[in-house]
Amino acid sequence: MDSETVTEEKVAAQPNASVPERERSTIQFPYMDLGDAAELVQTLHQNVGRGEATEDQLAAWLNLSAKSSGFRVRIATTKMFDLIESNSEGLRLTELGHSLMDPAQERRAKVKAFLAVPLYKVVYENYKGGVVPPAAAFERDIRKWGVAEKQTSRARQAFERSAEFAGFYESGRNRLVVPASASFKDAEDSSPPDHQKDNDGAASGGAAGSRLGGGGGGGLPPHLDPIIKGLIDRLPRPGTKWDKAKRKLWLQILENSFDLVYEDDAAPPPDNAFG
């Protein structure tokens, strides 16, 4: 029996003991990989084309239960890659999803889908032009960029499988390079869609710009760091309930993110700064 199980049993045996709230990631990433998402896209493409399918229909075609966690995670993963979307009628492919099914556009679509994931975009931006570090150092980096400590291994493995599927390892497993069939502009222009999901697979509930309120704005500034954008994306909609303790935690994480993203200019001026 491992130590974590023993700890949980000890807590369960003490009615007055409280289980600490588990750490949550502050940047979005899928639990499954791009290859899994592509299988779901192909299933929808083969059965409904540009039409729509209910979740019960899709689950049956995938030989899964519509209520199973595996099916829910698969749906959330495919949405995070911006390959499917849902409405009151059911699920359907996005334009990027249709592009993935077009042999002439498939490889470019893989690149765009890969970089639609906030974590994957951050990793690419930080590692492009250099060498991807070994697993332990990679996990330390993504921990710094917002992945919860207990999820770093799972996030890294899903990233590596997705990068392989999208062709980013064609020049070697130690480098992230946009495949020759796609352009550098595809990578630079890729940005997560407004309807991105929270890290645990739940829908985030709309564009970050609408969460910040205002009627005439154009959403978030394009230069906003992905770590801070991920935090803003997690803001509840105006008028909804938000526990005060969770508000304080969000503000603390935001403050820590500022320390990570921005340099401190509090250094004393040189002796001759004022003439």
Side-chain angles (χ1 to χ4, degrees):
M1 184 179 298
D2 58 46
S3 58
E4 184 175 358
T5 304
V6 171
T7 301
E8 291 174 351
E9 289 182 351
K10 286 181 178 179
V11 171
Q14 302 175 37
N16 295 326
S18 60
V19 179
E21 184 178 352
R22 69 183 178 89
E23 179 189 10
R24 292 178 64 88
S25 299
T26 58
I27 191 168
Q28 300 163 340
F29 62 91
Y31 281 167
M32 301 181 79
D33 59 67
L34 183 54
D36 296 317
E39 290 180 8
L40 188 150
V41 169
Q42 185 174 29
T43 299
L44 275 177
H45 175 72
Q46 290 176 340
N47 285 278
V48 297
R50 287 192 169 269
E52 297 167 343
T54 66
E55 291 189 354
D56 287 340
Q57 288 175 320
L58 179 57
W61 297 332
L62 293 170
N63 198 27
L64 296 169
S65 167
K67 296 181 179 180
S68 68
S69 60
F71 178 70
R72 306 311 309 175
V73 171
R74 192 176 293 261
I75 290 289
T77 293
T78 312
K79 285 184 176 181
M80 189 171 292
F81 284 114
D82 195 29
L83 296 171
I84 62 170
E85 58 190 2
S86 58
N87 57 26
S88 59
E89 301 299 322
L91 298 163
R92 63 187 179 190
L93 298 181
T94 62
E95 286 305 314
L96 185 59
H98 289 296
S99 296
L100 188 64
M101 294 295 100
D102 180 352
Q105 303 182 69
E106 177 185 1
R107 286 170 67 83
R108 292 184 65 182
K110 287 179 179 180
V111 170
K112 288 182 174 292
F114 177 82
L115 293 170
V117 176
L119 175 63
Y120 296 0
K121 180 71 170 178
V122 171
V123 172
Y124 171 75
E125 291 292 343
N126 280 273
Y127 289 162
K128 67 180 180 182
V131 176
V132 178
F138 184 102
E139 291 181 14
R140 283 195 296 271
D141 280 347
I142 62 174
R143 172 80 177 92
K144 177 179 65 177
W145 296 327
V147 178
E149 185 173 6
K150 290 187 177 180
Q151 297 174 330
T152 54
S153 178
R154 188 173 187 178
R156 174 185 58 79
Q157 292 172 30
F159 172 91
E160 291 175 344
R161 293 193 300 270
S162 296
E164 181 76 38
F165 185 82
F168 278 80
Y169 285 151
E170 289 181 356
S171 299
R173 294 279 300 189
N174 65 338
R175 292 184 182 275
L176 283 175
V177 180
V178 177
S181 55
S183 69
F184 183 73
K185 189 173 185 296
D186 290 331
E188 293 301 296
D189 289 348
S190 295
S191 59
D194 287 339
H195 56 268
Q196 278 293 9
K197 315 300 166 295
D198 289 337
N199 304 313
D200 292 323
S204 62
S210 64
R211 293 185 180 197
L212 295 177
L220 297 174
H223 60 272
L224 192 65
D225 186 271
I227 296 175
I228 295 175
K229 182 182 182 303
L231 279 169
I232 293 175
D233 284 343
R234 297 182 70 85
L235 283 170
R237 288 186 175 278
T240 59
K241 293 182 179 180
W242 193 15
D243 183 76
K244 180 173 283 188
K246 291 184 178 180
R247 285 186 238 167
K248 290 182 178 179
L249 176 61
W250 186 91
L251 288 169
Q252 182 63 54
I253 295 173
L254 180 64
E255 182 178 356
N256 292 339
S257 298
F258 285 158
D259 292 339
L260 175 65
V261 171
Y262 299 106
E263 295 183 3
D264 188 356
D265 62 354
D271 294 338
N272 61 351
F274 300 100

